[in-house]
Amino acid sequence: MSEYRAAVRHHTLRTGLVEFDNGAGSLVSVPCTIRDVSGSGARLQLNSSAWVPEQFAVIFSGGLRKACRLAWRKERLIGGAFADGYASPDEQAAMMTADEQSRHRLGIGARVKAARETRGYTESQLAERIGVTSGFLALAEQGEADIPLYQLMHIADLLMVGLDGLVAGPAPEDVDAA
C-alpha cells in the first residue's frame, strides 16, 4: 500500500460519482468531489455521509469509470485505490483537466531541462541522441509538447536519472514561478 500512497497526486477538485451495489442488487450513486488523483488511486470527498463498501467505482465527469477498493476513510473523505493497479497514461489524461495536463507537461519539461543541463548536454546534443529535432526538444522543455514515454525512458538512461524523477519528481524552482 505504501507505493500507492507515495504516488504523485494531481489536484483536480472536480465532481464525480461513487457507485456501488447496496447489497440488495441495486446500484447506488453518491455525488462526490474528486480532490486529487494519481496513477494508483483517488482521494474523494463525499457530498453526503453515505456508507461506502470496500469495492466501488469512481465515475469521472468525462465518463471514465475506475473500479476501486477502499484504502482508507475519514468521515466524508475516502481514499480509493484502483483495483486494477496503476491507471494507464490515457486514463490519467482523462482524469485531469487540460490545465492540469499542461502543468504536468511543464513540470516534465523543466525536469528534463534541469537534468540535461546538469549532465552538460546542449538541446541539440540531447535531441540528436534521442532522435528528435532540437525544436521539438525545446517545445517539450517549455511544456508545449508531450514527450512519448519511450523517449522519456531513453532520456532518463542518457542523463542517468530515474524515470520517476523526470515524470513526477520535485519541480525545479522556475516551474513554481510559472
Side-chain angles (χ1 to χ4, degrees):
M1 185 63 69
S2 61
E3 71 271 10
Y4 293 118
R5 293 189 68 98
V8 174
R9 303 201 173 280
H10 304 283
H11 298 286
T12 61
L13 290 179
R14 291 190 287 151
T15 58
L17 291 173
V18 171
E19 188 175 83
F20 55 90
D21 185 328
N22 69 355
S26 297
L27 285 180
V28 176
S29 295
V30 178
C32 69
T33 301
I34 302 167
R35 298 189 59 88
D36 55 47
V37 296
S38 71
S40 62
R43 185 169 53 131
L44 313 167
Q45 184 169 354
L46 301 176
N47 294 356
S48 69
S49 56
W51 169 83
V52 176
E54 292 296 316
Q55 304 290 324
F56 60 93
V58 176
I59 304 169
F60 293 84
S61 57
L64 175 65
R65 177 187 199 88
K66 286 296 285 178
C68 294
R69 60 182 167 71
L70 188 65
W72 55 269
R73 176 189 333 239
K74 185 176 181 183
E75 299 173 9
R76 292 185 183 182
L77 201 60
I78 63 173
F82 297 142
D84 57 356
Y86 286 92
S88 71
D90 289 340
E91 288 174 327
Q92 289 184 48
M95 293 177 198
M96 293 190 286
T97 65
D99 220 23
E100 294 159 349
Q101 289 176 42
S102 177
R103 282 194 308 271
H104 185 61
R105 205 172 32 247
L106 183 62
I108 290 172
R111 287 185 291 274
V112 166
K113 180 178 180 179
R116 174 182 60 76
E117 289 174 344
T118 298
R119 295 297 299 164
Y121 281 90
T122 66
E123 270 182 9
S124 298
Q125 290 170 328
L126 182 59
E128 182 181 328
R129 283 175 175 79
I130 64 170
V132 298
T133 66
S134 54
F136 171 80
L137 186 59
L139 288 174
E141 287 183 351
Q142 295 166 13
E144 299 295 323
D146 285 318
I147 305 171
L149 181 59
Y150 74 94
Q151 287 176 333
L152 280 171
M153 291 168 60
H154 194 175
I155 291 169
D157 287 343
L158 284 169
L159 301 180
M160 297 187 296
V161 295
L163 179 62
D164 57 340
L166 286 181
V167 174
E173 290 77 32
D174 56 317
V175 173
D176 294 334

